[in-house]
PDB file of all heavy atoms in Angstrom:
ATOM      1  N   THR A   1     108.793 116.849  88.411  1.00 92.00           N
ATOM      2  CA  THR A   1     109.113 117.440  89.719  1.00 92.00           C
ATOM      3  C   THR A   1     108.666 116.526  90.858  1.00 92.00           C
ATOM      4  O   THR A   1     109.412 116.299  91.820  1.00 92.00           O
ATOM      5  CB  THR A   1     108.446 118.815  89.866  1.00 92.00           C
ATOM      6  OG1 THR A   1     108.898 119.676  88.818  1.00 92.00           O
ATOM      7  CG2 THR A   1     108.801 119.449  91.204  1.00 92.00           C
ATOM      8  N   ASN A   2     107.455 115.987  90.739  1.00 91.00           N
ATOM      9  CA  ASN A   2     106.959 115.080  91.778  1.00 91.00           C
ATOM     10  C   ASN A   2     107.826 113.832  91.882  1.00 91.00           C
ATOM     11  O   ASN A   2     108.088 113.327  92.981  1.00 91.00           O
ATOM     12  CB  ASN A   2     105.511 114.688  91.485  1.00 91.00           C
ATOM     13  CG  ASN A   2     104.537 115.834  91.707  1.00 91.00           C
ATOM     14  OD1 ASN A   2     104.860 116.806  92.385  1.00 91.00           O
ATOM     15  ND2 ASN A   2     103.360 115.736  91.115  1.00 91.00           N
ATOM     16  N   PHE A   3     108.261 113.330  90.731  1.00 90.00           N
ATOM     17  CA  PHE A   3     109.126 112.145  90.715  1.00 90.00           C
ATOM     18  C   PHE A   3     110.442 112.434  91.433  1.00 90.00           C
ATOM     19  O   PHE A   3     110.914 111.630  92.244  1.00 90.00           O
ATOM     20  CB  PHE A   3     109.389 111.731  89.258  1.00 90.00           C
ATOM     21  CG  PHE A   3     110.307 110.553  89.125  1.00 90.00           C
ATOM     22  CD1 PHE A   3     109.820 109.265  89.097  1.00 90.00           C
ATOM     23  CD2 PHE A   3     111.679 110.734  89.031  1.00 90.00           C
ATOM     24  CE1 PHE A   3     110.661 108.180  88.974  1.00 90.00           C
ATOM     25  CE2 PHE A   3     112.541 109.659  88.911  1.00 90.00           C
ATOM     26  CZ  PHE A   3     112.022 108.373  88.882  1.00 90.00           C
ATOM     27  N   ILE A   4     111.054 113.575  91.130  1.00 90.00           N
ATOM     28  CA  ILE A   4     112.334 113.934  91.754  1.00 90.00           C
ATOM     29  C   ILE A   4     112.184 114.034  93.274  1.00 90.00           C
ATOM     30  O   ILE A   4     112.990 113.485  94.035  1.00 90.00           O
ATOM     31  CB  ILE A   4     112.856 115.264  91.172  1.00 90.00           C
ATOM     32  CG1 ILE A   4     113.266 115.078  89.713  1.00 90.00           C
ATOM     33  CG2 ILE A   4     114.043 115.782  91.988  1.00 90.00           C
ATOM     34  CD1 ILE A   4     113.610 116.383  89.009  1.00 90.00           C
ATOM     35  N   LYS A   5     111.155 114.729  93.707  1.00 87.00           N
ATOM     36  CA  LYS A   5     110.957 114.937  95.147  1.00 87.00           C
ATOM     37  C   LYS A   5     110.678 113.613  95.866  1.00 87.00           C
ATOM     38  O   LYS A   5     111.088 113.420  97.008  1.00 87.00           O
ATOM     39  CB  LYS A   5     109.818 115.926  95.380  1.00 87.00           C
ATOM     40  CG  LYS A   5     110.176 117.351  94.965  1.00 87.00           C
ATOM     41  CD  LYS A   5     109.028 118.314  95.219  1.00 87.00           C
ATOM     42  CE  LYS A   5     109.417 119.740  94.856  1.00 87.00           C
ATOM     43  NZ  LYS A   5     108.286 120.691  95.077  1.00 87.00           N
ATOM     44  N   LYS A   6     109.993 112.716  95.182  1.00 87.00           N
ATOM     45  CA  LYS A   6     109.644 111.439  95.794  1.00 87.00           C
ATOM     46  C   LYS A   6     110.850 110.521  95.917  1.00 87.00           C
ATOM     47  O   LYS A   6     110.982 109.771  96.895  1.00 87.00           O
ATOM     48  CB  LYS A   6     108.545 110.759  94.969  1.00 87.00           C
ATOM     49  CG  LYS A   6     108.140 109.381  95.490  1.00 87.00           C
ATOM     50  CD  LYS A   6     107.055 108.777  94.612  1.00 87.00           C
ATOM     51  CE  LYS A   6     106.684 107.371  95.103  1.00 87.00           C
ATOM     52  NZ  LYS A   6     105.630 106.751  94.251  1.00 87.00           N
ATOM     53  N   HIS A   7     111.771 110.588  94.934  1.00 84.00           N
ATOM     54  CA  HIS A   7     112.830 109.584  94.856  1.00 84.00           C
ATOM     55  C   HIS A   7     114.230 110.104  95.185  1.00 84.00           C
ATOM     56  O   HIS A   7     115.178 109.309  95.129  1.00 84.00           O
ATOM     57  CB  HIS A   7     112.857 108.965  93.458  1.00 84.00           C
ATOM     58  CG  HIS A   7     111.628 108.161  93.140  1.00 84.00           C
ATOM     59  ND1 HIS A   7     111.414 106.904  93.640  1.00 84.00           N
ATOM     60  CD2 HIS A   7     110.539 108.458  92.384  1.00 84.00           C
ATOM     61  CE1 HIS A   7     110.253 106.443  93.198  1.00 84.00           C
ATOM     62  NE2 HIS A   7     109.708 107.364  92.428  1.00 84.00           N
ATOM     63  N   LYS A   8     114.373 111.357  95.532  1.00 79.00           N
ATOM     64  CA  LYS A   8     115.739 111.850  95.748  1.00 79.00           C
ATOM     65  C   LYS A   8     116.397 111.207  96.967  1.00 79.00           C
ATOM     66  O   LYS A   8     117.623 111.073  97.016  1.00 79.00           O
ATOM     67  CB  LYS A   8     115.766 113.370  95.860  1.00 79.00           C
ATOM     68  CG  LYS A   8     115.077 113.959  97.077  1.00 79.00           C
ATOM     69  CD  LYS A   8     115.239 115.483  97.085  1.00 79.00           C
ATOM     70  CE  LYS A   8     114.561 116.117  98.295  1.00 79.00           C
ATOM     71  NZ  LYS A   8     114.772 117.573  98.327  1.00 79.00           N
ATOM     72  N   PHE A   9     115.604 110.803  97.973  1.00 71.00           N
ATOM     73  CA  PHE A   9     116.141 110.079  99.123  1.00 71.00           C
ATOM     74  C   PHE A   9     115.383 108.759  99.251  1.00 71.00           C
ATOM     75  O   PHE A   9     114.525 108.614 100.103  1.00 71.00           O
ATOM     76  CB  PHE A   9     115.995 110.892 100.402  1.00 71.00           C
ATOM     77  CG  PHE A   9     116.797 112.157 100.400  1.00 71.00           C
ATOM     78  CD1 PHE A   9     116.172 113.386 100.515  1.00 71.00           C
ATOM     79  CD2 PHE A   9     118.175 112.125 100.249  1.00 71.00           C
ATOM     80  CE1 PHE A   9     116.900 114.554 100.500  1.00 71.00           C
ATOM     81  CE2 PHE A   9     118.912 113.299 100.231  1.00 71.00           C
ATOM     82  CZ  PHE A   9     118.275 114.519 100.351  1.00 71.00           C
ATOM     83  N   PRO A  10     115.692 107.758  98.373  1.00 56.00           N
ATOM     84  CA  PRO A  10     114.916 106.514  98.378  1.00 56.00           C
ATOM     85  C   PRO A  10     115.292 105.618  99.540  1.00 56.00           C
ATOM     86  O   PRO A  10     116.375 105.744 100.114  1.00 56.00           O
ATOM     87  CB  PRO A  10     115.314 105.854  97.050  1.00 56.00           C
ATOM     88  CG  PRO A  10     116.721 106.329  96.830  1.00 56.00           C
ATOM     89  CD  PRO A  10     116.766 107.737  97.384  1.00 56.00           C
ATOM     90  N   PRO A  11     114.421 104.673  99.876  1.00 54.00           N
ATOM     91  CA  PRO A  11     114.761 103.673 100.904  1.00 54.00           C
ATOM     92  C   PRO A  11     115.950 102.849 100.438  1.00 54.00           C
ATOM     93  O   PRO A  11     116.119 102.609  99.245  1.00 54.00           O
ATOM     94  CB  PRO A  11     113.491 102.806 100.992  1.00 54.00           C
ATOM     95  CG  PRO A  11     112.413 103.625 100.366  1.00 54.00           C
ATOM     96  CD  PRO A  11     113.074 104.488  99.341  1.00 54.00           C
ATOM     97  N   THR A  12     116.757 102.413 101.364  1.00 47.00           N
ATOM     98  CA  THR A  12     117.953 101.648 100.998  1.00 47.00           C
ATOM     99  C   THR A  12     117.593 100.309 100.384  1.00 47.00           C
ATOM    100  O   THR A  12     118.393  99.725  99.674  1.00 47.00           O
ATOM    101  CB  THR A  12     118.822 101.400 102.244  1.00 47.00           C
ATOM    102  OG1 THR A  12     118.016 100.753 103.243  1.00 47.00           O
ATOM    103  CG2 THR A  12     119.354 102.708 102.793  1.00 47.00           C
ATOM    104  N   ALA A  13     116.384  99.821 100.635  1.00 37.00           N
ATOM    105  CA  ALA A  13     115.982  98.528 100.094  1.00 37.00           C
ATOM    106  C   ALA A  13     115.482  98.623  98.663  1.00 37.00           C
ATOM    107  O   ALA A  13     115.146  97.626  98.039  1.00 37.00           O
ATOM    108  CB  ALA A  13     114.885  97.910 100.959  1.00 37.00           C
ATOM    109  N   GLU A  14     115.410  99.850  98.121  1.00 41.00           N
ATOM    110  CA  GLU A  14     114.870 100.020  96.778  1.00 41.00           C
ATOM    111  C   GLU A  14     115.781  99.385  95.734  1.00 41.00           C
ATOM    112  O   GLU A  14     116.997  99.488  95.830  1.00 41.00           O
ATOM    113  CB  GLU A  14     114.728 101.509  96.484  1.00 41.00           C
ATOM    114  CG  GLU A  14     113.909 101.802  95.234  1.00 41.00           C
ATOM    115  CD  GLU A  14     113.562 103.279  95.151  1.00 41.00           C
ATOM    116  OE1 GLU A  14     114.294 104.080  95.746  1.00 41.00           O
ATOM    117  OE2 GLU A  14     112.576 103.610  94.490  1.00 41.00           O
ATOM    118  N   PRO A  15     115.247  98.712  94.711  1.00 36.00           N
ATOM    119  CA  PRO A  15     116.080  98.082  93.680  1.00 36.00           C
ATOM    120  C   PRO A  15     116.846  99.116  92.876  1.00 36.00           C
ATOM    121  O   PRO A  15     116.483 100.290  92.829  1.00 36.00           O
ATOM    122  CB  PRO A  15     115.066  97.354  92.796  1.00 36.00           C
ATOM    123  CG  PRO A  15     113.773  98.052  93.021  1.00 36.00           C
ATOM    124  CD  PRO A  15     113.817  98.494  94.458  1.00 36.00           C
ATOM    125  N   GLU A  16     117.923  98.679  92.245  1.00 38.00           N
ATOM    126  CA  GLU A  16     118.817  99.590  91.549  1.00 38.00           C
ATOM    127  C   GLU A  16     118.205 100.176  90.300  1.00 38.00           C
ATOM    128  O   GLU A  16     118.522 101.268  89.910  1.00 38.00           O
ATOM    129  CB  GLU A  16     120.126  98.870  91.204  1.00 38.00           C
ATOM    130  CG  GLU A  16     120.937  98.517  92.436  1.00 38.00           C
ATOM    131  CD  GLU A  16     122.310  98.020  92.056  1.00 38.00           C
ATOM    132  OE1 GLU A  16     122.649  98.037  90.871  1.00 38.00           O
ATOM    133  OE2 GLU A  16     123.042  97.611  92.958  1.00 38.00           O
ATOM    134  N   THR A  17     117.351  99.448  89.606  1.00 37.00           N
ATOM    135  CA  THR A  17     116.700  99.993  88.423  1.00 37.00           C
ATOM    136  C   THR A  17     115.219  99.734  88.522  1.00 37.00           C
ATOM    137  O   THR A  17     114.770  98.730  89.034  1.00 37.00           O
ATOM    138  CB  THR A  17     117.234  99.352  87.128  1.00 37.00           C
ATOM    139  OG1 THR A  17     116.990  97.945  87.205  1.00 37.00           O
ATOM    140  CG2 THR A  17     118.710  99.605  86.959  1.00 37.00           C
ATOM    141  N   THR A  18     114.446 100.658  88.017  1.00 35.00           N
ATOM    142  CA  THR A  18     113.002 100.525  88.035  1.00 35.00           C
ATOM    143  C   THR A  18     112.409 101.430  86.982  1.00 35.00           C
ATOM    144  O   THR A  18     113.100 102.208  86.348  1.00 35.00           O
ATOM    145  CB  THR A  18     112.431 100.882  89.432  1.00 35.00           C
ATOM    146  OG1 THR A  18     111.033 100.588  89.427  1.00 35.00           O
ATOM    147  CG2 THR A  18     112.624 102.352  89.759  1.00 35.00           C
ATOM    148  N   SER A  19     111.109 101.321  86.772  1.00 35.00           N
ATOM    149  CA  SER A  19     110.416 102.194  85.845  1.00 35.00           C
ATOM    150  C   SER A  19     109.321 102.909  86.605  1.00 35.00           C
ATOM    151  O   SER A  19     108.792 102.414  87.586  1.00 35.00           O
ATOM    152  CB  SER A  19     109.797 101.397  84.691  1.00 35.00           C
ATOM    153  OG  SER A  19     110.811 100.763  83.951  1.00 35.00           O
ATOM    154  N   GLU A  20     108.986 104.095  86.151  1.00 36.00           N
ATOM    155  CA  GLU A  20     107.953 104.880  86.816  1.00 36.00           C
ATOM    156  C   GLU A  20     107.067 105.492  85.758  1.00 36.00           C
ATOM    157  O   GLU A  20     107.541 106.168  84.862  1.00 36.00           O
ATOM    158  CB  GLU A  20     108.614 106.000  87.635  1.00 36.00           C
ATOM    159  CG  GLU A  20     107.624 106.925  88.338  1.00 36.00           C
ATOM    160  CD  GLU A  20     107.259 106.441  89.722  1.00 36.00           C
ATOM    161  OE1 GLU A  20     107.750 105.380  90.085  1.00 36.00           O
ATOM    162  OE2 GLU A  20     106.514 107.130  90.399  1.00 36.00           O
ATOM    163  N   THR A  21     105.798 105.230  85.815  1.00 31.00           N
ATOM    164  CA  THR A  21     104.886 105.897  84.895  1.00 31.00           C
ATOM    165  C   THR A  21     104.174 106.989  85.650  1.00 31.00           C
ATOM    166  O   THR A  21     103.566 106.767  86.685  1.00 31.00           O
ATOM    167  CB  THR A  21     103.852 104.916  84.334  1.00 31.00           C
ATOM    168  OG1 THR A  21     103.204 104.256  85.412  1.00 31.00           O
ATOM    169  CG2 THR A  21     104.528 103.875  83.463  1.00 31.00           C
ATOM    170  N   GLY A  22     104.257 108.204  85.114  1.00 30.00           N
ATOM    171  CA  GLY A  22     103.693 109.346  85.802  1.00 30.00           C
ATOM    172  C   GLY A  22     102.525 109.926  85.068  1.00 30.00           C
ATOM    173  O   GLY A  22     101.746 109.240  84.436  1.00 30.00           O
ATOM    174  N   ALA A  23     102.407 111.257  85.091  1.00 28.00           N
ATOM    175  CA  ALA A  23     101.289 111.937  84.465  1.00 28.00           C
ATOM    176  C   ALA A  23     101.368 111.790  82.955  1.00 28.00           C
ATOM    177  O   ALA A  23     102.371 111.412  82.390  1.00 28.00           O
ATOM    178  CB  ALA A  23     101.303 113.416  84.850  1.00 28.00           C
ATOM    179  N   ASP A  24     100.263 112.115  82.313  1.00 30.00           N
ATOM    180  CA  ASP A  24     100.192 111.949  80.867  1.00 30.00           C
ATOM    181  C   ASP A  24     100.901 113.089  80.156  1.00 30.00           C
ATOM    182  O   ASP A  24     101.042 114.184  80.667  1.00 30.00           O
ATOM    183  CB  ASP A  24      98.726 111.934  80.419  1.00 30.00           C
ATOM    184  CG  ASP A  24      97.936 110.877  81.166  1.00 30.00           C
ATOM    185  OD1 ASP A  24      98.539 109.848  81.474  1.00 30.00           O
ATOM    186  OD2 ASP A  24      96.753 111.120  81.432  1.00 30.00           O
ATOM    187  N   ILE A  25     101.308 112.801  78.913  1.00 28.00           N
ATOM    188  CA  ILE A  25     101.887 113.827  78.057  1.00 28.00           C
ATOM    189  C   ILE A  25     100.759 114.385  77.213  1.00 28.00           C
ATOM    190  O   ILE A  25     100.307 113.747  76.272  1.00 28.00           O
ATOM    191  CB  ILE A  25     102.944 113.224  77.124  1.00 28.00           C
ATOM    192  CG1 ILE A  25     103.880 112.322  77.893  1.00 28.00           C
ATOM    193  CG2 ILE A  25     103.675 114.284  76.370  1.00 28.00           C
ATOM    194  CD1 ILE A  25     104.719 111.482  77.007  1.00 28.00           C
ATOM    195  N   GLU A  26     100.319 115.573  77.535  1.00 30.00           N
ATOM    196  CA  GLU A  26      99.216 116.153  76.789  1.00 30.00           C
ATOM    197  C   GLU A  26      98.065 115.148  76.677  1.00 30.00           C
ATOM    198  O   GLU A  26      97.399 115.052  75.649  1.00 30.00           O
ATOM    199  CB  GLU A  26      99.690 116.567  75.381  1.00 30.00           C
ATOM    200  CG  GLU A  26     100.829 117.566  75.384  1.00 30.00           C
ATOM    201  CD  GLU A  26     100.395 118.933  75.891  1.00 30.00           C
ATOM    202  OE1 GLU A  26      99.201 119.263  75.734  1.00 30.00           O
ATOM    203  OE2 GLU A  26     101.217 119.661  76.448  1.00 30.00           O
ATOM    204  N   GLY A  27      97.894 114.322  77.716  1.00 29.00           N
ATOM    205  CA  GLY A  27      96.841 113.325  77.686  1.00 29.00           C
ATOM    206  C   GLY A  27      97.211 112.046  76.973  1.00 29.00           C
ATOM    207  O   GLY A  27      96.374 111.194  76.766  1.00 29.00           O
ATOM    208  N   VAL A  28      98.479 111.872  76.574  1.00 32.00           N
ATOM    209  CA  VAL A  28      98.897 110.691  75.823  1.00 32.00           C
ATOM    210  C   VAL A  28     100.031 110.012  76.570  1.00 32.00           C
ATOM    211  O   VAL A  28     101.002 110.643  76.943  1.00 32.00           O
ATOM    212  CB  VAL A  28      99.368 111.072  74.406  1.00 32.00           C
ATOM    213  CG1 VAL A  28      99.775 109.833  73.657  1.00 32.00           C
ATOM    214  CG2 VAL A  28      98.258 111.811  73.665  1.00 32.00           C
ATOM    215  N   ALA A  29      99.912 108.711  76.782  1.00 34.00           N
ATOM    216  CA  ALA A  29     100.945 107.976  77.507  1.00 34.00           C
ATOM    217  C   ALA A  29     102.104 107.629  76.592  1.00 34.00           C
ATOM    218  O   ALA A  29     101.943 106.875  75.643  1.00 34.00           O
ATOM    219  CB  ALA A  29     100.357 106.706  78.121  1.00 34.00           C
ATOM    220  N   GLN A  30     103.257 108.207  76.858  1.00 38.00           N
ATOM    221  CA  GLN A  30     104.513 107.809  76.248  1.00 38.00           C
ATOM    222  C   GLN A  30     104.641 107.874  74.736  1.00 38.00           C
ATOM    223  O   GLN A  30     105.207 106.993  74.156  1.00 38.00           O
ATOM    224  CB  GLN A  30     104.854 106.392  76.692  1.00 38.00           C
ATOM    225  CG  GLN A  30     105.116 106.270  78.166  1.00 38.00           C
ATOM    226  CD  GLN A  30     106.126 107.274  78.650  1.00 38.00           C
ATOM    227  OE1 GLN A  30     107.200 107.395  78.106  1.00 38.00           O
ATOM    228  NE2 GLN A  30     105.786 108.019  79.666  1.00 38.00           N
TER     229      GLN A  30
END
């Protein structure tokens, strides 16, 4: 949810593809 709200209206200078690491999954990354 935080990711969606942060990126739904991105700056026009933002690159076309990127990666985002967010909160942990049950305390485990990915």
Side-chain angles (χ1 to χ4, degrees):
T1 301
N2 289 342
F3 178 90
I4 291 172
K5 290 180 178 179
K6 178 180 178 181
H7 294 283
K8 67 177 180 178
F9 295 119
T12 55
E14 192 168 24
E16 293 189 5
T17 59
T18 186
S19 297
E20 178 90 358
T21 53
D24 305 327
I25 313 167
E26 301 291 332
V28 181
Q30 295 309 308

